[in-house]
Amino acid sequence: MTLVTFAMALAFCAVHLFVGRLRWLESTPRSRWLSFAGGVAVGYVFLHILPELGAHAGTFEQATGLDAQLAEGLVYTLSLAGLALFYGLERALAASRDERMEREGRDRPHHPVFWLHIGASALLVALIAYLLNHREDPSPAGLALYFAAMVLHFITADFGTRADHPEIYDARGRWVLVAATFGGWALGLFVELPPMAIGCLFAFVAGGIVLLVLKEELPEDRKSYFLPFLGGALLYAALVLGETYLATG
């Protein structure tokens, strides 16, 4: 299983390194493949993230002795914190781009703002890689579904991050994400956090993923395609339901 998760971490790194070479993603209107990937990511949010948040609420209840409703509220508060953090970074990027465009005529955010965004993305990437070795659903099928959803999520997220400042991303930013991926994966091998800590990490990651999925797919100026988006969501739902049926049948 260690070799399997290592290969998955390598695939994550390949996305970080080579997303800039996927020129067919840059079509206008938005590439159908990006819309398909967005649909898969949304399917992951509703069919994995939300149910697993509920499962982690039970862990919080047992570990803290809190009332069930309060423990559930705490889990979703952590998820909200992840969403709010990444929303704030996205707004800071947009404001920095607008200001620099107005003053310098350059459609790029200021370097410190972009690096702040890269740093937050690296944290998210490291947590996702860590969870390769500490899944709520440890079955091979569950791991495969997690991997597929995260690869497609990284394609859309890295594509959007690179679009903000391709020069910095290609020169150094992508290598930071690669280091974060390997660091998170290695940490997952040698450090086994208690269930409550893993629940906290997952809840925070969940909020960030939800925000990034919505940010990349839903704005009107993306000119995205509905049918590929729907197809991705339905395909992922079919795979999840099929895996659940086989596991319980």
Side-chain angles (χ1 to χ4, degrees):
M1 189 59 71
T2 298
L3 290 176
V4 172
T5 59
F6 178 69
M8 291 177 173
L10 284 177
F12 291 166
C13 292
V15 173
H16 302 320
L17 290 175
F18 302 118
V19 70
R21 298 188 181 183
L22 304 179
R23 303 297 182 189
W24 44 274
L25 295 178
E26 299 176 358
S27 61
T28 302
R30 184 176 175 84
S31 167
R32 288 177 171 84
W33 287 107
L34 285 176
S35 292
F36 175 83
V40 172
V42 168
Y44 175 76
V45 166
F46 280 92
L47 294 170
H48 271 288
I49 286 182
L50 296 182
E52 287 194 32
L53 284 177
H56 285 300
T59 301
F60 273 51
E61 181 184 358
Q62 293 177 3
T64 63
L66 295 174
D67 175 76
Q69 189 171 359
L70 184 58
E72 185 177 24
L74 179 59
V75 170
Y76 283 99
T77 298
L78 288 171
S79 186
L80 177 61
L83 187 149
L85 171 64
F86 280 89
Y87 177 73
L89 290 171
E90 293 296 333
R91 293 308 306 153
L93 271 177
S96 181
R97 290 184 71 158
D98 291 344
E99 180 183 353
R100 201 170 183 193
M101 187 68 179
E102 183 178 345
R103 293 186 177 183
E104 306 174 21
R106 296 199 65 195
D107 188 23
R108 296 286 187 270
H110 293 90
H111 289 192
V113 177
F114 185 74
W115 276 113
L116 183 62
H117 186 269
I118 287 288
S121 298
L123 173 62
L124 184 64
V125 164
L127 294 178
I128 289 172
Y130 176 86
L131 290 173
L132 281 173
N133 294 306
H134 296 280
R135 297 279 304 119
E136 182 75 23
D137 177 5
S139 68
L143 179 62
L145 288 170
Y146 177 77
F147 168 72
M150 290 301 97
V151 162
L152 293 175
H153 166 68
F154 283 144
I155 289 175
T156 56
D158 288 3
F159 179 80
T161 299
R162 184 180 181 275
D164 287 321
H165 210 313
E167 298 85 0
I168 294 180
Y169 183 91
D170 289 342
R172 298 183 297 277
R174 58 181 178 166
W175 296 104
V176 172
L177 298 179
V178 166
T181 300
F182 280 127
W185 175 82
L187 188 67
L189 285 182
F190 299 109
V191 178
E192 185 172 355
L193 297 173
M196 183 173 175
I198 292 177
C200 290
L201 292 177
F202 183 84
F204 183 81
V205 167
I209 292 175
V210 169
L211 185 280
L212 293 174
V213 166
L214 298 179
K215 170 251 180 181
E216 285 299 324
E217 191 58 32
L218 297 185
E220 185 177 353
D221 60 4
R222 301 290 180 187
K223 297 181 180 179
S224 56
Y225 289 95
F226 173 70
L227 289 181
F229 176 85
L230 178 64
L234 291 178
L235 176 60
Y236 191 80
L239 291 174
V240 171
L241 294 174
E243 187 265 338
T244 303
Y245 175 79
L246 291 176
T248 59

